[in-house]
């Protein structure tokens, strides 16, 4: 018994014939693929700005650019949403399948079978702001990503995670293994009519055989035999036999036989016989005795039946005879202009004049006053 306890305290050791045994680490198998396929699993369309494939042999080059892309359907049958738009090297164009395509897929076939280190998807957002997550980013959630070799055999399968807030989705294939599908983050369009698993026949936890606390044998407080207060036999207050106040037999004040105040016999003020203020002594100007002109019995001219087209008399026009024309600023701003023209008849007579100005910009002759009358 003591020997067994002594051996129990010793560290675990290999048998003598196994001491030189070496355990090798598992080798990481590369993923060599000829075709890469992306399939929707939530009945959503597949849309993306770009899908990039990186291979160790190509360094940092995107080998998907030289591939041939295809998809299950194209939105509105418009080439602007073709499968090739996801491998054109532009983050502005994008591929898009039909929304009615409930089993949408997209794939690219490479020119030669290559080792795939990673797959990067530039997810497509809706609207103008890529920072705001929305339903378009969610459409690739739980999508199935499969790598096929040149014989069409599947070499690796991955299921994308929740992509609702992911602008860039990447999968590392430096180790060639497959994953199972994670639960979908959004419900499918057509839920199944029956649950995926039938209900269990019994609850997961058995009920306790007895209640957690045994009931009390008697109530906490025994009921009172009588009410807390006996009812009163009579009302709390007796009604008054008579009203609190007797009505008065006569009005409080007898009516007055005459008005409270006798009317005044005369007005409060005696009317004045004269105006309150005497008129001013003389008028400022004496009135003219006869009117300046007697009114005519008939209008001077009979009204015309139709208005005249032009006034009968032209206004008098004075000719502006000038020797010098001057332009002055009144807002403390510089004066600058391409040309100043002065017309006499139809000729610009400013061309033959002499121009001057208060100052010249940078003292440069290119901005001299004469430049405004050089035609």
């Amino acid at each position: 018994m003591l020997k067994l306890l002594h051996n129990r305290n010793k560290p675990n050791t290999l048998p003598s014939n196994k001491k030189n045994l070496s355990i090798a680490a598992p080798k990481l198998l590369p993923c060599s693929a000829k075709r890469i396929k992306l399939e929707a699993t939530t009945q959503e369309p597949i849309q993306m700005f770009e899908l990039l494939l990186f291979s160790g042999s190509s360094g940092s080059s995107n080998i998907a650019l030289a591939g041939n892309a295809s998809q299950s359907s194209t939105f509105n049958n418009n080439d602007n949403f073709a499968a090739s738009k996801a491998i054109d090297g532009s983050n502005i164009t994008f591929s898009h399948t039909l929304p009615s395509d409930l089993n949408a897929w997209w794939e690219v076939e490479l020119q030669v079978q290559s080792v795939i280190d990673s797959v990067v998807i530039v997810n497509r957002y809706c609207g103008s702001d890529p920072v705001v997550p929305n339903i378009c980013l969610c459409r690739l959630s739980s999508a199935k990503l499969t790598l096929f070799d040149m014989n069409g055999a599947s070499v690796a399968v991955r299921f994308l995670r929740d992509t609702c807030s992911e602008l860039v989705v990447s999968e590392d294939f430096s180790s060639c293994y497959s994953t199972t599908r994670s639960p979908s983050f959004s419900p499918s369009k057509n839920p199944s009519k029956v649950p995926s698993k039938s209900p269990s026949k019994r609850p997961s936890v058995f009920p306790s055989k007895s209640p957690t606390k045994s009931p009390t044998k008697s109530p906490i407080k025994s009921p009172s035999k009588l009410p807390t207060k006996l009812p009163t036999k009579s009302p709390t207050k007796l009604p008054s036999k008579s009203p609190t106040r007797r009505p008065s037999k006569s009005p409080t004040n007898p009516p007055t036989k005459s008005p409270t105040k006798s009317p005044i016999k005369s007005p409060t003020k005696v009317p004045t016989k004269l105006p309150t203020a005497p008129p001013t002594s003389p008028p400022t100007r004496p009135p003219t005795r006869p009117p300046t002109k007697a009114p005519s019995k008939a209008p001077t001219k009979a009204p015309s039946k139709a208005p005249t087209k032009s006034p009968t008399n032209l206004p008098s026009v004075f000719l502006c005879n000038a020797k010098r024309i001057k332009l002055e600023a009144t807002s403390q701003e510089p004066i600058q202009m391409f040309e100043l023209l002065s017309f006499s008849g139809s000729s610009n007579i400013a061309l033959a004049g002499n121009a001057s100005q208060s100052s010249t910009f940078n003292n440069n002759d290119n901005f001299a006053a004469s430049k405004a009358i050089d035609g």
Side-chain angles (χ1 to χ4, degrees):
M1 181 68 179
L2 292 175
K3 186 176 181 180
L4 290 175
L5 292 175
H6 178 70
N7 290 335
R8 183 183 297 177
N9 295 329
K10 289 184 179 181
N12 294 330
T13 57
L14 292 173
S16 58
N17 59 343
K18 299 290 186 178
K19 286 185 179 180
N20 296 325
L21 180 65
S22 61
I23 301 175
K27 293 182 179 181
L28 298 178
L29 299 177
C31 281
S32 182
K34 180 75 164 57
R35 182 166 55 95
I36 293 88
K37 186 174 185 180
L38 185 66
E39 299 173 86
T41 61
T42 57
Q43 300 181 345
E44 291 286 349
I46 291 179
Q47 54 179 14
M48 50 189 169
F49 283 115
E50 204 74 11
L51 185 140
L52 302 91
L53 301 174
F54 294 100
S55 175
S57 60
S58 65
S60 59
S61 299
N62 174 21
I63 61 174
L65 297 174
N68 294 318
S70 59
Q71 58 188 9
S72 56
S73 61
T74 302
F75 184 70
N76 285 346
N77 292 322
N78 191 333
D79 289 339
N80 290 330
F81 310 112
S84 59
K85 298 299 180 181
I87 57 169
D88 59 359
S90 172
N91 288 343
I92 299 176
T93 59
F94 58 92
S95 65
H96 198 314
T97 61
L98 283 169
S100 59
D101 187 357
L102 302 183
N103 297 300
W105 56 263
W106 180 99
E107 69 177 19
V108 58
E109 186 163 357
L110 304 177
Q111 292 183 350
V112 294
Q113 183 160 314
S114 305
V115 174
I116 305 300
D117 289 337
S118 63
V119 177
V120 178
I121 298 173
V122 182
N123 201 358
R124 191 233 166 187
Y125 56 87
C126 298
S128 59
D129 189 355
V131 180
V132 179
N134 49 54
I135 191 170
C136 290
L137 291 177
C138 299
R139 288 176 176 173
L140 292 183
S141 294
S142 301
K144 181 181 179 181
L145 181 63
T146 309
L147 274 59
F148 297 93
D149 61 14
M150 64 176 61
N151 298 320
S154 171
V155 296
V157 177
R158 303 285 175 84
F159 287 91
L160 303 185
R161 58 186 180 277
D162 176 17
T163 64
C164 288
S165 58
E166 300 290 335
L167 292 173
V168 177
V169 182
S170 61
E171 285 291 336
D172 180 19
F173 285 94
S174 58
S175 176
C176 204
Y177 63 89
S178 299
T179 60
T180 58
R181 179 184 175 186
S182 59
S184 60
F185 291 90
S186 58
S188 58
K189 290 184 177 179
N190 298 320
S192 58
K193 296 181 180 180
V194 295
S196 56
K197 292 183 178 181
S198 58
S200 57
K201 296 180 179 180
R202 57 185 180 182
S204 56
V205 178
F206 292 100
S208 57
K209 296 181 179 180
S210 59
T212 53
K213 292 182 179 181
S214 58
T216 56
K217 296 180 179 180
S218 59
I220 301 172
K221 292 183 179 180
S222 58
S224 58
K225 296 180 180 180
L226 298 175
T228 54
K229 291 184 180 181
L230 296 176
T232 57
K233 296 180 179 180
S234 58
T236 54
K237 291 184 180 181
L238 296 176
S240 58
K241 295 181 180 179
S242 58
T244 54
R245 290 184 182 183
R246 295 180 181 179
S248 58
K249 295 181 179 179
S250 58
T252 54
N253 289 328
T256 57
K257 295 180 180 180
S258 58
T260 54
K261 291 183 180 181
S262 57
I264 54 176
K265 296 180 179 179
S266 58
T268 55
K269 291 183 179 182
V270 179
T272 58
K273 296 179 180 180
L274 299 174
T276 55
T280 57
S281 299
T284 55
R285 290 184 182 179
T288 56
R289 293 181 180 178
T292 54
K293 289 183 180 180
S296 59
K297 295 180 180 179
T300 53
K301 291 183 180 179
S304 59
K305 294 181 180 180
T308 58
K309 292 183 179 179
S310 58
T312 54
N313 296 324
L314 295 174
S316 58
V317 177
F318 297 97
L319 298 177
C320 285
N321 193 5
K323 181 71 167 60
R324 183 164 57 95
I325 295 96
K326 187 176 183 180
L327 183 65
E328 296 176 89
T330 61
S331 59
Q332 298 182 348
E333 291 288 344
I335 292 177
Q336 55 180 3
M337 53 188 166
F338 286 110
E339 203 74 13
L340 185 142
L341 301 90
S342 297
F343 290 99
S344 179
S346 60
S347 299
N348 176 20
I349 59 175
L351 297 173
N354 294 319
S356 60
Q357 58 188 9
S358 57
S359 61
T360 302
F361 183 69
N362 285 346
N363 292 321
N364 190 334
D365 291 339
N366 290 328
F367 308 112
S370 59
K371 298 298 181 180
I373 58 169
D374 59 358

